[in-house]
């Protein structure tokens, strides 16, 4: 978090991982963000790295992310690779004292996530966790209104996440995705902590109800998790892969003097009315819903590094959201409530 | 408006006209209204009159409305016959000093409507004009909010009326219906006066755009009328017979510090969401939309008569709404603005 | 269920209990329902019984409900008294072979509810359980669409019930109300069974989060219950007493090819838009929301008795919804999942 | 429209005018658009031109727009200056054979707008008129659905434009703004032509109803214009400066088999529900509503020039929309309908 970044007109960012989301980050870093230069990209697919660099006028491209990290021209790093690689790459970046942004989830295991936490503390290097919903203007507005006291004391947190179709079976495999409650739920568990604080106990139920073929890889397609926060307040999260009508993300904070809801499902503001029917369209998928949040999140990272500010989403946020998600997964598998202290001990 | 009505537990009402709306009034008068007894019905169709009386336990039925009006057991009269008969029936009722409710429009010609006005003044008998929208809880709430100052001073009145399909050609014939701007528009012109006061000038355009067969009877199926009120404020009304998606009635008052809208188009509170689509149903037709307003309107009439109160919708309201509708019709036909003084003079 | 009822023009109904809801039923039975005569009322408050009878032209009033039940002029009985009296009154009515409608919940204990079930079977007498939401046009439309296959197979049931304020502490006392999960939840548990079938396991969490004074009587003000149905499908119900913005009841069925939502929170169809704000009002409380459902439910009861039809909501529906509510209460108290077989055994 | 543009990786654009909208265009041209380089800016305020160039890494800045136009490094020109300068600048650019984009309205007088049309035809140079609503995803989707036949034949066009507050009196002065019906209405008149074709007759009423101080500069703050299209179909447009609740732009096409509405007024997708109130926020002003449309419009211009495509919005569109707006202004002033042939003759 050296002050010298602030003196630069533009922060030179290296981006590791050029998959679907990596491409969006590459575009944002190269053209949409102020005070930013996409100085290098890296991907294990050499052609993809070269092609992306050429298209976006990026000076350097690498196959080996270590080479990117060693490049002294790189001021800061964005990690956007498959989850199982986050831990090693983040630690490598931190050890080189490169300010680092890491896409969610932090890791698949609590042990791995805590290793990153150790590296952050050991190296004293800036680390920002990627939970883009916090940067969505809707969620940000809701947070602001709750903090202003618009609903009194929030007593119940409700959140729903729905994908419009199931992922590939390869992706869904809990060995790589962490399973439904980690892969999809991590965002809702992070929001739960952001709005309400730490979770004490988790209960969960789930099932493979819409896509029986997912049983082959061992994942469920629907789950409901209930949370009791440390102070006794309540939460409930429902997740589904069969939100076939569209991508639907909504959250509610019920308080003692009101309630606030955030979320929308219409894509275009048109209403088609025909015989006995009023029809709207829906949001197709996550990029249509959260494109702006992704951009705002990266801009925030760049400014935090340039201006030597502390990260608004920390490595601890990454660890604790994962801890709840892992506990929920266990609760769902055993049919028994899981107290978070137990989860922490078992996960460590 | 004799005080002796107030002493009766129930007002004995005679209903003239048992068509579509008459049946609804018969049901309301016989079972839904407090302090009311449907004491007689009359219809030129003797079988219909008898059958309705039998079904609803109505003591007497008549073919001749004059016989009903002469019946001393009848305390008050509801007229719900075809428009061209309103004038004579209303005058006959008023001359017998029967408190009278008359369905809209008051008449097809200004001369006929003013003859009723003369009879009201001459006989000093209670007369209430039927404009049921004023009794709709939505419109009533809007009126109350406007009067509380919720939108500052209203400066523009906007209203839309849409039928879900065209009427029969027989019904649509301007000789009996008065044409689109009278038949449908009378409600909106009444609302315009209720919210904004008297109209100074009317412009209108129209066409037979969706149902070419209506040209045969000489009526249009779409029209737009603009109003300049006496104090210079503005209004606009659009009417259509091809609101094919459902029955859609909505009104807006735009003020100096806000705006208020009244209207809805959903029939049941269900939302069906399927692949890339969110669908609601619509209100089929006027009875589904205004059933409660009709009931509240008749209850108000009964209470006004029983408690010797003045009518909230007067014969003048019936005359003046018709005056604007007739002026709009002329404006539409000539393509020229019509000043209401001219209309009044010409109509008289 | 004797066929002779069908031959009567009107069913003579005796109403027991003239509290808040009893007054609504009295009005509906005396004036809004076809083929019905409110022939007698009974209430332990003699003045209330007399006054109500006088106002509504009811021929007879009683203090002792047994006297009403013994009256041979009474064809059928509606029970609308405090819950703890339902069991004895229902059994007394059934033993006299009077077709009976009983307001929800059937009883506070499973044992009492099963005693009513025994009486129904023993006497072979018509018995209809009151769950008015099934008669709400919105819920009925949702049910019809689900059965038509509009959403494929429903896999998750979600339901929310919110009161606009807490009940009196006297009412809230679980000894008389059954506690939040019985008193409020019974409707949602009934809907869960109606849409999805039998429940296998219940989990629940709850707390006294908004009204600390409710701890004095031992009730909670917020709860979340998750259900696993016998075939593995899922459900979640959240209940609150602090829906301070209005009375909010909504339900969703998420299916394999779509989702359907039922519920609304706007009372009047007006929209007030002022500086940077669009505001609507809300439904104040249950009677504004479900008035029509109550009327339709009683009309259905009358027709079922007159036409010798079987009841659409049976005593078993009353027993089983209570069984789930009692199990949810236990799950909430113990923090452990409750399997319904266990609940049934323990409750018996 | 020389093909050599297509061979360049990036189009070098010169931007003339750095006011409020000019700043947005500068940002888009310098960072958000593909295949684009903002090569020069010009503004009569030399400091503003220099400062903007420095901030956005623009190689050259000018005070004299003629110097920018003479710069051989400039491939294409964007004109975003006050309306009264559009004509001369556009003609100067066209005479230098620079492909030109001109912000709306094309001019204040029909004569000036037609001079630009002459220059386009004389020089054979690419000219694209700026009507950004056509590039709004909502309007574009509506247009597509109408063309697919989703509503049958559109028979009535309705459009509403509302500013959240009045402009400065200096801006509002009709001598520079053209008056309400030109300044605000031009967008709606363009949409009317886009969806429905040419206009035959215009009627209009208006008044200074909310901001009496506007009378001093001779402008009105509310107006309603009705249109009869050449084939007899109908349109209505209402405009206000006192949409004090927010910036509200909506349009409806009513057809023979349905209707389509485009527009929205909520800014963030949050709903705040407190005692008897459901509240949303509103769109503050035009940039929040149409930011994306502006970006898409400029990207479209760049691609059209690069790929040698014809402009989707032509100089004729600019002229004809102005012709209707001028006719509406006259109709409003005279209280008489204006036939467009007359307007054209008078305006020429």
């Amino acid at each position: 978090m050296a002050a010298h970044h602030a003196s630069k007109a533009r922060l030179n960012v290296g981006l590791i991982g050029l998959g679907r989301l990596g491409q969006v980050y590459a575009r944002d870093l190269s053209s949409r963000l102020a005070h930013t230069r996409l100085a290098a990209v890296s991907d294990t697919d050499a052609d993809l790295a070269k092609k992306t660099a050429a298209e976006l006028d990026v000076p350097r491209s690498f196959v080996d992310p270590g080479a990117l990290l060693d490049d002294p021209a790189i001021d800061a790093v964005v990690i956007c690779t498959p989850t199982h690689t986050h831990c090693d790459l983040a630690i490598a970046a931190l050890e080189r004292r490169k300010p680092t942004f890491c896409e969610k989830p932090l890791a698949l295991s609590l042990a791995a996530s805590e290793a990153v936490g150790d590296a952050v503390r050991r190296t004293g290097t800036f680390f920002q966790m990627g939970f883009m919903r916090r940067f969505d203007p809707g969620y940000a507005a809701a947070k602001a209104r709750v903090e202003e006291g618009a609903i009194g004391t929030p007593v119940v947190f409700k959140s729903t996440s729905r994908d419009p179709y199931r992922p590939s079976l390869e992706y869904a495999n809990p060995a790589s995705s962490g399973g439904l409650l980690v892969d999809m739920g991590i965002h809702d568990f992070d929001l739960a902590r952001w709005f309400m604080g730490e979770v004490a106990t988790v209960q969960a139920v789930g099932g493979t109800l819409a896509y029986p073929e997912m049983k082959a890889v061992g994942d469920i397609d629907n789950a409901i998790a209930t949370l009791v926060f440390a102070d006794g307040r309540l939460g409930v999260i429902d997740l589904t892969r069969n939100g076939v009508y569209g991508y639907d993300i909504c959250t509610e904070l019920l308080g003692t003097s009101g309630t606030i809801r955030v979320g929308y499902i219409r894509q275009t503001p048109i209403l088609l009315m025909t015989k006995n029917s009023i029809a709207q369209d829906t949001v197709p998928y996550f990029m249509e819903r959260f494109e702006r949040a992704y951009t705002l999140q990266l801009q925030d990272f760049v400014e935090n590094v340039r201006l030597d500010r502390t990260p608004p989403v920390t490595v601890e946020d990454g660890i604790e959201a994962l801890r709840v998600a892992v506990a929920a997964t266990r609760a769902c598998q055993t049919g028994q409530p899981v107290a978070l202290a137990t989860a922490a001990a078992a996960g460590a």
Side-chain angles (χ1 to χ4, degrees), chain A:
Chain A
M1 288 173 275
H4 70 270
H5 295 308
S7 62
K8 294 202 183 184
R10 295 198 177 206
L11 187 76
N12 291 295
V13 177
L15 170 65
I16 305 178
L18 294 170
R20 184 172 55 171
L21 186 55
Q23 291 292 328
V24 173
Y25 280 179
R27 181 206 61 193
D28 279 2
L29 290 164
S30 67
S31 70
R32 289 204 179 172
L33 300 190
H35 310 123
T36 311
R37 179 173 293 118
L38 181 53
V41 293
S42 128
D43 197 279
T44 52
D45 177 340
D47 288 346
L48 179 63
K50 270 186 207 161
K51 184 165 160 285
T52 304
E55 274 177 5
L56 299 172
D57 284 339
V58 180
R60 270 172 274 199
S61 75
F62 299 94
V63 175
D64 173 16
L68 181 150
L69 293 175
D70 285 333
D71 185 338
I74 300 301
D75 298 324
V77 177
V78 169
I79 298 171
C80 190
T81 52
T83 302
H84 73 274
T85 67
H86 287 179
C87 172
D88 288 351
L89 287 169
I91 292 172
L94 291 165
E95 286 177 345
R96 284 161 178 83
R97 303 302 191 268
K98 303 281 192 191
T100 300
F101 173 90
C102 182
E103 184 54 29
K104 75 89 206 173
L106 181 49
L108 287 175
S109 75
L110 279 170
S113 74
E114 287 173 348
V116 181
D118 291 343
V120 171
R121 285 185 292 275
R122 187 174 67 243
T123 64
T125 301
F126 180 99
F127 182 91
Q128 183 164 339
M129 187 63 218
F131 281 126
M132 92 296 192
R133 287 192 197 170
R134 296 196 190 190
F135 292 88
D136 174 67
Y139 278 97
K143 177 76 168 166
R145 302 307 303 269
V146 169
E147 292 187 348
E148 285 164 29
I151 59 165
T153 303
V155 294
V156 180
F157 169 89
K158 291 181 68 177
S159 201
T160 295
S161 288
R162 293 180 176 172
D163 271 356
Y165 41 80
R166 71 161 174 80
S168 70
L169 296 183
E170 183 191 355
Y171 178 94
N173 193 321
S176 58
S177 72
L180 180 72
L181 281 155
V182 170
D183 181 55
M184 282 191 71
I186 194 86
H187 284 296
D188 299 286
F189 293 124
D190 178 59
L191 290 177
R193 290 185 62 254
W194 192 42
F195 278 101
M196 303 287 277
E198 298 305 329
V199 173
T201 316
V202 184
Q203 300 183 2
V205 294
T208 311
L209 304 174
Y211 304 105
E213 64 275 23
M214 290 184 75
K215 289 178 185 167
V217 293
D219 202 12
I220 54 179
D221 52 23
N222 281 273
I224 298 160
T226 54
L227 308 175
V228 181
F229 294 94
D231 54 8
R233 293 182 297 160
L234 305 176
V236 59
I237 292 166
D238 64 281
L239 307 172
T240 190
R241 298 291 192 189
N242 53 293
V244 292
Y245 55 95
Y247 180 72
D248 191 2
I249 305 295
C250 56
T251 298
E252 179 177 19
L253 277 296
L254 172 67
T256 50
S257 64
T259 196
I260 196 163
R261 294 176 183 170
V262 52
Y264 65 94
I265 180 62
R266 292 177 65 178
Q267 173 74 351
T268 53
I270 66 172
L271 214 54
L272 177 62
M273 301 161 79
T274 50
K275 191 162 176 51
N276 200 32
S277 167
I278 312 170
Q280 303 162 29
D281 65 2
T282 62
V283 174
Y285 208 6
F286 72 99
M287 195 48 70
E288 287 86 356
R289 173 64 184 85
F290 288 114
E291 179 176 12
R292 195 162 167 216
Y294 281 116
T295 304
L296 291 170
Q297 177 178 249
L298 277 190
Q299 185 70 70
D300 178 76
F301 166 67
V302 166
E303 295 308 309
N304 292 333
V305 173
R306 285 182 66 244
L307 305 177
D308 212 12
R309 299 190 301 213
T310 55
V313 193
T314 65
V315 72
E316 284 76 23
D317 289 323
I319 296 168
E320 295 307 317
L322 183 61
R323 194 186 309 281
V324 182
V326 166
T329 303
R330 186 135 48 89
C332 185
Q333 288 163 347
T334 62
Q336 295 296 319
V338 174
L340 262 290
T342 309

